[in-house]
Amino acid sequence: MPDEDGYFGESVAATYDESSAEMFESDAVDPAVDLLAGLAELAGTGRALELGIGTGRLALPLSRRGVEVHGIDLSRAMVERLRAKPGGDAIGVTIGDFATTTVDGTFSVAYLVFNTIMNLTTQDAQVDCFANAAAHLEPGGRFVVEVMVPDLRRLPPGQNAVPFHVGETRIGFDTYDLATQSMSSHHVRVEDGRGSFRSIPFRYVWPAELDLMARLAGMRLRERWEGWTRGPFTGESRSHVSVWEKTTG
């Protein structure tokens, strides 16, 4: 069961950067920061709002680019790691559920990355998140989401589990419920002869479904790429970075 920090409490926060080390490499971070910084400069204040700011993987380099960043995150443990990093104390963070928590001011860009939209495990919560992002944006502001494309073609009839990592000390697999679009990621680790198990629930979501959520929130799709380097999104793409523009006042 989650603690008061949700599924990203102290035990996860303590090793989060190390366990996701490849996502902190420059080839993963720099293209995202380039795109977000460019969008922030397009209009208005040039401020950026990160939903699910975590330990500051993108917020810190974006701040170093001169963009004023504010974050929302439910996990105090993750935010403590952000605060401990150089420059972390210059980034404002509001503790709360990013689907509904509000902050002062308006922003040129809001963003939600690394599949974090799927941490909202109901369609209603995901719809609320789009409405919350739009409410914080200036007219013409952009909302950016990075998320996987559901990989259901790997599921043969009668199977509901797909492995995503098999190693000597760690096994990871996802389970799916196609009727509800719910899924869970399961992590089994064996270290020093001791085993541990952790399971995190998600709700997978389709690109067209996200477009409808954006429309309900007064936004329209402007761009969709396969990733941060802006390669074309195709039927074979396994993820996408989508950009919606706020069209209402």
Side-chain angles (χ1 to χ4, degrees):
M1 295 293 292
D3 57 22
E4 65 175 4
D5 289 317
Y7 288 89
F8 294 87
E10 178 60 34
S11 62
V12 174
T15 60
Y16 180 80
D17 288 13
E18 293 77 10
S19 64
S20 303
E22 72 282 357
M23 297 302 297
F24 286 80
E25 297 291 336
S26 60
D27 59 350
V29 171
D30 292 350
V33 171
D34 287 344
L35 175 58
L36 294 170
L39 292 175
E41 294 168 2
L42 279 178
T45 62
R47 302 174 72 214
L49 176 65
E50 180 165 3
L51 308 181
I53 195 169
T55 65
R57 181 178 69 92
L58 295 186
L60 287 167
L62 192 58
S63 178
R64 289 194 291 268
R65 290 277 295 268
V67 178
E68 180 186 345
V69 183
H70 192 96
I72 300 174
D73 204 291
L74 185 63
S75 172
R76 289 175 172 82
M78 296 284 277
V79 173
E80 286 177 3
R81 266 65 186 184
L82 163 62
R83 292 279 185 243
K85 295 177 180 179
D89 56 353
I91 296 175
V93 180
T94 301
I95 300 296
D97 180 349
F98 60 72
T100 56
T101 298
T102 60
V103 302
D104 292 336
T106 58
F107 298 84
S108 295
V109 61
Y111 61 98
L112 181 59
V113 301
F114 201 13
N115 298 324
T116 306
I117 184 68
M118 301 198 314
N119 288 122
L120 302 173
T121 56
T122 68
Q123 187 182 68
D124 283 345
Q126 292 172 346
V127 169
D128 288 344
C129 177
F130 270 72
N132 195 32
H136 285 92
L137 289 174
E138 303 157 0
R142 306 298 205 268
F143 183 37
V144 183
V145 172
E146 175 197 22
V147 66
M148 61 173 274
V149 176
D151 200 9
L152 303 188
R153 288 187 295 181
R154 297 179 64 192
L155 285 174
Q159 180 176 318
N160 71 339
V162 176
F164 59 82
H165 181 88
V166 178
E168 293 184 357
T169 62
R170 181 167 70 93
I171 296 174
F173 61 96
D174 292 326
T175 55
Y176 294 83
D177 184 336
L178 274 63
T180 63
Q181 290 184 216
S182 62
M183 61 177 289
S184 293
S185 287
H186 309 277
H187 305 261
V188 180
R189 292 181 181 272
V190 178
E191 296 176 328
D192 299 324
R194 302 183 63 180
S196 65
F197 173 77
R198 182 167 64 98
S199 182
I200 303 176
F202 299 98
R203 180 184 186 271
Y204 67 81
V205 60
W206 300 98
E209 191 179 5
L210 294 172
D211 290 342
L212 183 55
M213 293 179 189
R215 182 176 178 182
L216 292 172
M219 299 185 287
R220 63 173 179 174
L221 181 69
R222 288 297 304 264
E223 303 284 356
R224 174 165 289 137
W225 302 290
E226 185 173 75
W228 294 106
T229 56
R230 310 184 201 190
F233 179 75
T234 73
E236 299 301 316
S237 298
R238 300 184 65 182
S239 64
H240 63 98
V241 172
S242 296
V243 182
W244 296 274
E245 178 186 12
K246 183 175 180 178
T247 57
T248 59

